[in-house]
Amino acid sequence: MEFLKIQNYNTLMKSLVLLLLCVVRVNAQVTLPSRQDGFWYKNRIANTESILIEAFFDPLCPDSRDSWPPLKLALQHYGSRLSLVVHPFPLPYHDNAFISSRALHISNQLNTSATYRLLESFFDHQGRFYGNATFNLSRSSVVDKIARFTSNSIGNSHYAAVKAGFTDPKTDHATRISFKYGCVKGVYGTPFFFVNGFPLPDSGSALDYNAWRKIIHPLLKN
């Protein structure tokens, strides 16, 4: 779990303080969103007969990246019996996590069918967006780099709209709501999973395909 891999004690303490402040501020000041947070996988919205999985992913988190292929395989195996909604949760100690999470909201605004494609593109090319790759870049340069990356993933004709999305207060607000929603749910790292509203005991770990089957299969018998 990426949260537990922090080596610097000061960074750990800052993250814990941030989480506590976030929970307090969210409970005291949150503005109710006009719609539910998250991106539905293949627009397969949950119903009373399906099992709902909520996944909190940071697009630039290696553990989030590693958790996606086995979860995707489980979704393909169980089909309509599963519904997945992904919530972006930009970790404060991951460079440019907020910008990449905002890109997901912009993509979803422009073309809902391309959001997961963009998420997978971030997973495949994470090294381009943190550490030495962006250390000497200004924030505006990073935004432009991610805007071009996003438009390449969802369609180059969308570049102007993607770039404009980074100055749209609505996409900034939506990304903040995603983070606040995670705080309200008690999320403190990524990946973090809920099944039918309940957190998995091993949340924060990249569960393999067999682990998902052990979780899901008994629920289908009830």
Side-chain angles (χ1 to χ4, degrees):
M1 179 179 179
E2 192 65 20
F3 178 80
L4 296 178
K5 291 181 179 177
I6 304 172
Q7 300 298 317
N8 186 284
Y9 177 78
N10 290 331
T11 304
L12 173 59
M13 294 308 297
K14 288 179 182 178
S15 299
L16 290 173
V17 170
L18 175 65
L19 175 60
L20 291 173
L21 289 175
C22 177
V23 171
V24 171
R25 290 183 62 84
V26 164
N27 286 335
Q29 301 181 19
V30 69
T31 300
L32 294 177
S34 59
R35 62 190 63 186
Q36 290 182 332
D37 181 71
F39 314 125
W40 292 97
Y41 182 68
K42 293 189 174 181
N43 291 320
R44 194 186 298 161
I45 299 175
N47 58 57
T48 56
E49 300 301 320
S50 63
I51 295 170
L52 171 62
I53 299 174
E54 292 181 87
F56 289 81
F57 286 156
D58 179 338
L60 301 185
C61 167
D63 287 335
S64 293
R65 175 198 63 204
D66 294 343
S67 73
W68 173 235
L71 176 55
K72 185 178 180 180
L73 191 60
L75 289 163
Q76 294 170 345
H77 177 78
Y78 289 104
S80 61
R81 292 173 291 179
L82 290 186
S83 294
L84 169 70
V85 59
V86 165
H87 305 279
F89 192 74
L91 295 171
Y93 41 84
H94 279 163
D95 296 343
N96 307 313
F98 187 89
I99 300 174
S100 61
S101 294
R102 190 174 182 179
L104 292 174
H105 280 285
I106 294 169
S107 171
N108 200 62
Q109 189 178 67
L110 295 173
N111 182 1
T112 56
S113 65
T115 307
Y116 277 84
R117 185 164 70 245
L118 177 59
L119 178 63
E120 290 180 339
S121 294
F122 275 122
F123 285 161
D124 289 340
H125 302 282
Q126 286 179 341
R128 295 171 59 180
F129 302 109
Y130 60 73
N132 291 335
T134 59
F135 183 78
N136 292 315
L137 297 181
S138 67
R139 188 179 189 281
S140 61
S141 296
V142 173
V143 168
D144 186 67
K145 182 176 182 177
I146 289 180
R148 293 185 183 280
F149 179 83
T150 299
S151 62
N152 286 338
S153 178
I154 69 175
N156 287 320
S157 61
H158 290 298
Y159 172 72
V162 171
K163 192 67 183 291
F166 280 104
T167 60
D168 184 350
K170 291 182 180 179
T171 64
D172 178 75
H173 179 71
T175 311
R176 292 170 186 265
I177 286 293
S178 292
F179 181 73
K180 291 178 180 180
Y181 180 68
C183 291
V184 168
K185 297 275 284 185
V187 175
Y188 52 85
T190 58
F192 210 101
F193 301 107
F194 293 79
V195 174
N196 288 340
F198 286 80
L200 292 185
D202 294 328
S203 279
S205 302
L207 300 177
D208 63 24
Y209 175 65
N210 289 330
W212 278 114
R213 292 202 62 174
K214 288 178 182 178
I215 292 166
I216 295 166
H217 200 66
L219 300 178
L220 296 174
K221 296 180 179 180
N222 295 334

